[in-house]
Amino acid sequence: MTRDIVRIWTLIHKWASLICTAFLLMLCLTGLPLVFHDEIDRALNHAPNIVATPGQRLLNDDQVLDIALRARPGEVPLFMSFDVDRPVINVTTGPRADAPESLMHFAPIDQTSGRIVAATGAGGVMDVVLRIHKDMFLGLPGLLFLGVMGALFVAAIVSGLVIYTPFMRKIDFGTVRASRSTRLKWLDYHNLLGVVTAAWVTVVGLTGVINTLSEPILAVWRADQLAAMTAPYKDKPPPIRRSSIAAAIATAQAAAPGMRVQFVAFPGGAFSSKHHYAVFLQGATPATKRLPTPALVDAETGRLTAIRRMPWYAQGLLLSQPLHFGDYGGLPLKILWALLDIVTIIVTASGLYLWLSKKKAA
């Protein structure tokens, strides 16, 4: 590798790192508690422990939906989701079918009693941390901006590996020249920790970039696959009367044996059409749980009209989300993710220190 090429890669590493450093530190610091979001949710959650006794008759989906709508007069159903560890159905309503998230109301309903209970999410501080990490409260512009920062971070990783290669010829791998100056010692720590965690930070960086593209990716899915699945209903007026939501869910499950319902999108929303219940089904394995399959059921007749797996680009997004937070291997993997996150903070902070100390010396 010629000296000019090394100089170019050094400039890429320097400026890519400097531009994204502040945002990378923010993402690492907010990402650390988000790795343990399930555990924090359970610790901060004060919802009652609801258990159905053997043989107890539970309220069905239609009865739960009726309770939710009576509690919110004038609103329409938007989504229905199902707790895995307790007999609770969550109904999201809003003033209209295309209501923004800020106008939605979330109601967890106990199937054993029909009462509206507390949600299992922690809310409060964790919601704020998630929004900061996700888009800095800026919506789509914030998402895309953090995506650019993530791309610069990946560029900094690749360029750092390139310029570390000739450095390796001078000293043994893992050498830390602790007896020399403080700056030289931290340079060795920065290089060593950066190389050791390079594979992990590349995966987390790339999945983070993919996650920032969630809204454009879902928009493409709606314009492409969802539009094709609902094309025969394009010019039909919305149904005046809707069929049973419980029957629609049963119809969808019958078409995909062995799968369970993840959530239901009601007619008129972004995940369905004006004429369909969109029943999203998921598998039982760690991978298939992350890959919902939408089944469209005619909201007027209750007839299944289409069922199709999500396209590759949507599957890539759905698989990158749990991989980004280490959210698929239990607590041991989360602890490993947290330790690597802390190492990344050290690498980032040491890089900033090296640049500031060099600038001061100059």
Side-chain angles (χ1 to χ4, degrees):
M1 189 184 303
T2 66
R3 186 172 298 178
D4 289 339
I5 294 177
V6 172
R7 186 179 296 112
I8 292 173
W9 279 109
T10 302
L11 288 173
I12 294 174
H13 182 72
K14 173 185 176 180
W15 290 109
S17 301
L18 287 175
I19 293 171
C20 72
T21 290
F23 299 99
L24 178 60
L25 285 172
M26 178 273 292
L27 292 172
C28 289
L29 291 171
T30 54
L32 191 57
L34 290 173
V35 170
F36 300 102
H37 66 92
D38 290 331
E39 290 74 16
I40 294 174
D41 284 349
R42 284 193 290 268
L44 298 180
N45 174 44
H46 301 291
N49 183 26
I50 301 170
V51 179
T53 58
Q56 182 178 5
R57 186 179 180 86
L58 301 177
L59 298 175
N60 63 35
D61 304 322
D62 292 306
Q63 292 171 317
V64 168
L65 178 61
D66 185 58
I67 292 171
L69 293 178
R70 287 204 308 268
R72 305 290 294 184
E75 294 193 349
V76 297
L78 304 178
F79 299 102
M80 178 180 282
S81 60
F82 307 83
D83 281 14
V84 177
D85 54 352
R86 59 179 190 164
V88 170
I89 296 178
N90 309 292
V91 180
T92 303
T93 59
R96 58 184 188 275
D98 60 348
E101 185 177 353
S102 59
L103 297 180
M104 295 181 184
H105 180 265
F106 183 79
I109 299 175
D110 178 4
Q111 287 183 272
T112 66
S113 65
R115 292 183 292 106
I116 298 177
V117 297
T120 55
V125 174
M126 287 303 295
D127 285 347
V128 173
V129 173
L130 178 60
R131 283 299 305 275
I132 294 173
H133 187 87
K134 180 182 176 182
D135 59 14
M136 301 183 298
F137 289 95
L138 296 176
L140 182 58
L143 274 171
L144 298 179
F145 176 80
L146 290 179
V148 173
M149 295 300 103
L152 287 174
F153 177 46
V154 173
I157 297 167
V158 174
S159 57
L161 291 173
V162 172
I163 62 178
Y164 188 65
T165 302
F167 178 78
M168 281 283 294
R169 300 192 187 103
K170 300 178 182 179
I171 63 174
D172 294 333
F173 176 76
T175 299
V176 177
R177 293 165 288 184
S179 60
R180 305 284 292 275
S181 67
T182 301
R183 186 180 184 281
L184 194 59
K185 178 180 67 175
W186 275 108
L187 174 62
D188 290 340
Y189 277 127
H190 178 81
N191 291 336
L192 175 61
L193 295 176
V195 169
V196 169
T197 59
W200 179 82
V201 292
T202 301
V203 169
V204 172
L206 288 175
T207 53
V209 172
I210 293 172
N211 289 338
T212 63
L213 300 175
S214 58
E215 291 190 24
I217 289 174
L218 292 176
V220 171
W221 171 74
R222 288 192 292 266
D224 177 21
Q225 194 175 88
L226 183 60
M229 295 168 70
T230 60
Y233 291 80
K234 183 178 180 181
D235 298 322
K236 291 184 179 182
I240 299 176
R241 296 179 61 86
R242 296 180 182 176
S243 61
S244 163
I245 184 62
I249 291 174
T251 298
Q253 287 183 300
M259 302 186 77
R260 64 175 296 273
V261 182
Q262 185 183 43
F263 73 97
V264 178
F266 284 82
F271 291 89
S272 62
S273 75
K274 294 180 180 179
H275 309 272
H276 291 90
Y277 296 123
V279 183
F280 287 80
L281 305 162
Q282 61 180 177
T285 66
T288 56
K289 282 181 180 179
R290 307 291 181 178
L291 298 174
T293 298
L296 299 184
V297 178
D298 189 313
E300 185 173 27
T301 65
R303 181 176 61 88
L304 180 71
T305 65
I307 181 169
R308 189 183 301 181
R309 295 178 60 184
M310 299 289 278
W312 65 268
Y313 52 85
Q315 290 186 17
L317 169 65
L318 295 168
L319 289 175
S320 70
Q321 291 172 341
L323 183 60
H324 185 68
F325 291 108
D327 196 17
Y328 62 91
L331 186 59
L333 186 65
K334 291 184 177 184
I335 294 174
L336 176 62
W337 245 240
L339 292 174
L340 291 169
D341 185 287
I342 293 171
V343 173
T344 305
I345 293 174
I346 295 172
V347 172
T348 306
S350 62
L352 183 60
Y353 160 75
L354 292 170
W355 178 73
L356 290 174
S357 61
K358 183 178 180 179
K359 186 178 180 181
K360 181 179 179 182

